[in-house]
Amino acid sequence: MAVKTINTEMLRKMFLAGAANLEAKKEYINELNVFPVPDGDTGTNMTLTIMSAAKEVSALENPDMVSMAKAISSGSLRGARGNSGVILSQLLRGFTKEIREYEEIDANILAKACERATATAYKAVMKPKEGTILTVAKGAAQKAAELAEATDDLEVFIPEVIKYAEEVLEQTPEMLPVLKEAGVVDSGGQGLIEVLRGAYDAFLGKEIDYSSIEAGQAPKMVKPDQQVEADIKFGYCTEFIIMTEKEFTEKDENEFKAYLESIGDSIVCVADDDVVKVHVHTNDPGLAIQKALTYGQLSRMKIDNMREEHHEKLIRDAEKVAAQQMKSAQEKKKKEPRKAVGFIAVSIGEGMNEIFRELGVDYIIEGGQTMNPSTDDMLTAIDNVNADHIFILPNNKNIILAANQAQSLTKDKDILVIPTKTVPQGITAVISYMPEADVDTNLESMKEAIKNVKTGQVTYAVRDTHIDDKEIHEGDIMGIGDQGILSVGQSVETAAKEMLEQMVDEDSELISLYYGQDVLPEDAEKFAASVEELYPDVDLDLHSGGQPIYYYVISVE
């Protein structure tokens, strides 16, 4: 019997299943990223975005279509991270705008919702590129419109839409040469497919694990003084499953438990047919694993350093206290008379942060490449800057859309986004600000100033790939410029100098070097001296940036 409509409860299950499937596949999607840099990858960004919405949806009791649509739209908008996350949030926003007026959804409504979703997402991107998540969404919408005229059976309609979207995804390498060169499909498009596949599984009535989506209260935290680190006698929490190759008898179970007790505590050993689940706290996980291998093959091995986790918790608790103190100071500041102009900057590393503070930036958002701030992070910053006009410096091309989205959601302040793609561009923008000029004049002058900044970043490759006609292997050092990879080598200094050769020209006046947390000050000073010898006619500034991931961030003006 044909299924012709989807009610609110079914749509809720489908959305949560789509989110759960995306979360389960996020690392696979991350691996599709073309650039082999350690960063806040597509799968992570899309997952954090949709999980923000999923938690709002799962918190609803007896929702109608309007309340659920609102939860999906607002949750994803506020949680959006990175370009892929912002585009996903816009797809969800457009989709929910279309469905919110209906109690049940049929094929025609689904087709219109897909079309509106695509139009909303394309509109949000200033220069849409084909061969991306947008193309996959557009393909799905076109197929949905075609099928809506041919069938009202959703059991036919939905899988055909997904099948065509998958075909479009397979074509993305032909649309974007950089994908073809790297031998991958578009990661954002793959993420969208995973959402659709998860939703279809729920439509078919498959059991979905929603354990990663919890709307309830956060788990109760134990205060540091209630834990005694010295009492952690066995430091490694070790878990695995034995897939037995012969019968695991009661005698085997007792002997294995006795062995585990001789090397640790907190033991769990549960046998079920040909599978044995094992948990033990021990100082030598290898001994437990070696003994287990005598019974069969192992899977789902997980080893955690509990002492390290305890240290990390103490740090987190200290950071929480500091955050509360900062919040109190910010609340006090918000009660002061509102000033005319304020600044928000996204930054990486304490050195970079301090430079922005010295330049008069009011609020620093910690983030950048390794973790893209969400739209909600931007809105929090806006709320804490007590000014009529607020300039936002995203300082990363993957954060600009989230800043623009926060701008559109703010009604009581004038938000101006300077499209800075790097921290050096952000620093130049702030330096270019003229207090005596009006806001519009400053907006144009700051945008003009950042055009004169070339930025290069030196980091390491996290995977093998081929890009920009360069063969790159895991562990290689890369110099990445504004338009792509400029150098690949085995040493940080060599790769940085090769990159600089392509950045410095006869018009260059200033080189700024920001060294990261993994570079010793004396090594940075030696490197700076060697750069001065290479370019004696160009001024050079050396700063401690303190940034993670990047050995050097270098700007040329």
Side-chain angles (χ1 to χ4, degrees), residues 105-143:
I105 303 168
D106 60 18
N108 278 314
I109 297 168
L110 271 179
K112 289 177 183 176
C114 289
E115 182 180 1
R116 189 161 182 177
T118 303
T120 303
Y122 266 88
K123 188 177 178 182
V125 180
M126 191 171 293
K127 294 180 180 178
K129 278 186 179 179
E130 296 305 330
T132 66
I133 181 176
L134 292 170
T135 309
V136 177
K138 181 169 67 175
Q142 290 171 342
K143 190 65 175 179

Side-chain angles (χ1 to χ4, degrees), residues 440-459:
D440 292 336
T441 300
N442 270 304
L443 180 64
E444 292 309 314
S445 66
M446 291 162 79
K447 284 183 177 179
E448 196 62 34
I450 66 176
K451 293 178 182 178
N452 299 320
V453 181
K454 301 175 189 175
T455 306
Q457 302 175 102
V458 183
T459 187

Side-chain angles (χ1 to χ4, degrees), residues 356 391-396 400 417-433 442-455 482-483 555-557:
F356 278 120
F391 289 95
I392 296 183
L393 309 166
N395 300 333
N396 186 303
I400 294 172
V417 178
I418 309 295
T420 51
K421 296 179 180 178
T422 64
V423 168
Q425 282 191 346
I427 291 170
T428 295
V430 181
I431 291 172
S432 303
Y433 176 73
N442 270 304
L443 180 64
E444 292 309 314
S445 66
M446 291 162 79
K447 284 183 177 179
E448 196 62 34
I450 66 176
K451 293 178 182 178
N452 299 320
V453 181
K454 301 175 189 175
T455 306
D482 294 323
Q483 304 303 323
S555 68
V556 177
E557 301 176 58

Side-chain angles (χ1 to χ4, degrees), residues 229 306-316:
E229 186 178 358
M306 294 186 293
R307 294 188 182 99
E308 188 175 88
E309 287 176 354
H310 178 70
H311 277 299
E312 289 173 355
K313 184 185 182 310
L314 291 177
I315 292 169
R316 286 198 304 271

Side-chain angles (χ1 to χ4, degrees), residues 141-361:
Q142 290 171 342
K143 190 65 175 179
E146 175 190 321
L147 285 168
E149 295 182 0
T151 181
D152 60 359
D153 186 353
L154 295 179
E155 290 182 329
V156 175
F157 179 93
I158 296 174
E160 285 297 315
V161 169
I162 297 174
K163 181 182 176 184
Y164 186 73
E166 291 168 340
E167 291 172 5
V168 174
L169 177 66
E170 292 301 317
Q171 293 301 311
T172 55
E174 304 302 320
M175 303 177 206
L176 275 179
V178 69
L179 294 176
K180 190 169 186 177
E181 190 177 5
V184 295
V185 296
D186 177 67
S187 54
Q190 184 70 58
L192 180 59
I193 293 293
E194 298 304 341
V195 173
L196 297 176
R197 286 174 177 167
Y200 183 49
D201 283 344
F203 176 80
L204 294 176
K206 293 183 181 179
E207 288 295 322
I208 311 295
D209 180 9
Y210 300 126
S211 59
S212 60
I213 305 168
E214 294 184 9
Q217 303 242 339
K220 185 178 179 182
M221 301 299 290
V222 180
K223 293 182 180 179
D225 58 9
Q226 291 176 284
Q227 293 189 10
V228 182
E229 186 178 358
D231 288 346
I232 302 178
K233 183 179 178 182
F234 298 104
Y236 295 94
C237 175
T238 306
E239 296 179 77
F240 51 81
I241 290 175
I242 307 173
M243 295 176 289
T244 57
E245 295 170 348
K246 57 184 179 180
E247 184 184 2
F248 191 76
T249 64
E250 186 176 341
K251 181 183 176 184
D252 291 330
E253 184 175 343
N254 291 333
E255 286 181 353
F256 187 46
K257 283 181 179 177
Y259 178 77
L260 293 176
E261 285 172 352
S262 72
I263 62 168
D265 64 11
S266 298
I267 294 158
V268 176
C269 180
V270 181
D272 182 17
D273 295 330
D274 56 353
V275 173
V276 183
K277 171 70 176 177
V278 179
H279 172 280
V280 61
H281 291 176
T282 177
N283 285 326
D284 194 339
L287 292 176
I289 289 169
Q290 287 173 20
K291 182 68 173 177
L293 285 169
T294 64
Y295 299 107
Q297 297 182 36
L298 306 188
S299 72
R300 300 189 185 181
M301 288 186 287
K302 182 174 177 285
I303 301 172
D304 292 320
N305 185 331
M306 294 186 293
R307 294 188 182 99
E308 188 175 88
E309 287 176 354
H310 178 70
H311 277 299
E312 289 173 355
K313 184 185 182 310
L314 291 177
I315 292 169
R316 286 198 304 271
D317 288 340
E319 288 173 343
K320 187 175 180 181
V321 171
Q324 288 171 341
Q325 291 172 343
M326 184 180 291
K327 185 178 179 181
S328 297
Q330 288 167 348
E331 289 295 330
K332 184 179 178 182
K333 196 170 184 179
K334 284 166 69 175
K335 293 177 182 177
E336 296 173 358
R338 184 180 281 196
K339 60 182 182 177
V341 176
F343 288 87
I344 294 169
V346 179
S347 182
I348 48 170
E350 190 49 46
M352 300 285 200
N353 296 351
E354 191 55 38
I355 291 170
F356 278 120
R357 290 189 193 103
E358 289 175 358
L359 291 172
V361 170

Side-chain angles (χ1 to χ4, degrees), residues 54-89:
K55 286 176 181 176
E56 288 200 23
V57 170
S58 61
L60 295 174
E61 294 183 10
N62 303 316
D64 56 17
M65 199 68 80
V66 173
S67 61
M68 192 169 66
K70 183 179 179 182
I72 293 172
S73 180
S74 64
S76 61
L77 280 172
R78 297 182 72 90
R81 295 175 187 265
N83 288 350
S84 54
V86 171
I87 292 171
L88 177 60
S89 74

